[in-house]
Amino acid sequence: MKEDGIGLDVTLEVVCGKWKGLILWKLIHENHLRFNALRRSLDGNISSRILARELKKLIQDGLVERIDYETVPPRVEYRVTPYGRTTASFLEKMNEWGIYHKQRAGQQDSLIDVSNQLK
């Protein structure tokens, strides 16, 4: 049953996924990036096709804007919109939680390794 007034599902649909949050994070912290610079900043682990698709969705949602300088050769940059900047606070919290979780999971793995060595 879907409850009225809960926007978490909408937020997760718009901002989450494997790449959208990372793209927003990079653009919030870098101000503006060209396509290939953005791709490289994501460690090159994203294909051009997927990056283009995710950017298109973020543009449609009003979180990112595409700036075409109409030059030859073509020069296009992407930057987060003022509306997109509203995601910064909860992306920061998600980042902090992810770091905490990673550290906690590492501690648990260490405890499991020690207990396995004691057997």
Side-chain angles (χ1 to χ4, degrees):
M1 182 165 104
K2 197 169 191 163
E3 295 182 45
D4 291 333
I6 297 179
L8 185 59
D9 56 338
V10 176
T11 304
L12 292 173
E13 182 180 326
V14 172
V15 177
C16 292
K18 185 170 183 179
W19 297 109
K20 287 182 188 176
L22 289 172
I23 292 167
L24 280 170
W25 181 263
K26 292 292 183 179
L27 290 174
I28 286 168
H29 289 90
E30 298 290 331
N31 292 325
H32 57 85
L33 287 169
R34 294 179 75 171
F35 185 89
N36 283 325
L38 177 57
R39 186 167 178 263
R40 282 189 303 271
S41 76
L42 297 168
D43 298 326
N45 292 326
I46 184 171
S47 71
S48 295
R49 184 178 67 87
I50 299 296
L51 179 56
R53 183 186 72 195
E54 297 300 293
L55 282 167
K56 185 176 180 180
K57 289 178 186 176
L58 289 168
I59 291 167
Q60 288 172 345
D61 289 329
L63 301 173
V64 170
E65 65 182 330
R66 181 181 188 268
I67 302 131
D68 187 346
Y69 290 95
E70 298 181 9
T71 60
V72 177
R75 180 177 170 214
V76 175
E77 292 180 345
Y78 296 90
R79 70 175 168 209
V80 71
T81 64
Y83 180 60
R85 287 204 178 280
T86 64
T87 65
S89 61
F90 68 82
L91 288 175
E92 181 64 39
K93 291 293 181 190
M94 289 173 69
N95 183 54
E96 289 171 8
W97 186 87
I99 291 168
Y100 169 77
H101 179 72
K102 189 175 180 180
Q103 291 170 344
R104 186 174 182 268
Q107 290 171 352
Q108 288 178 344
D109 289 345
S110 297
L111 290 174
I112 291 169
D113 289 343
V114 169
S115 67
N116 286 337
Q117 290 174 358
L118 295 175
K119 290 181 181 179

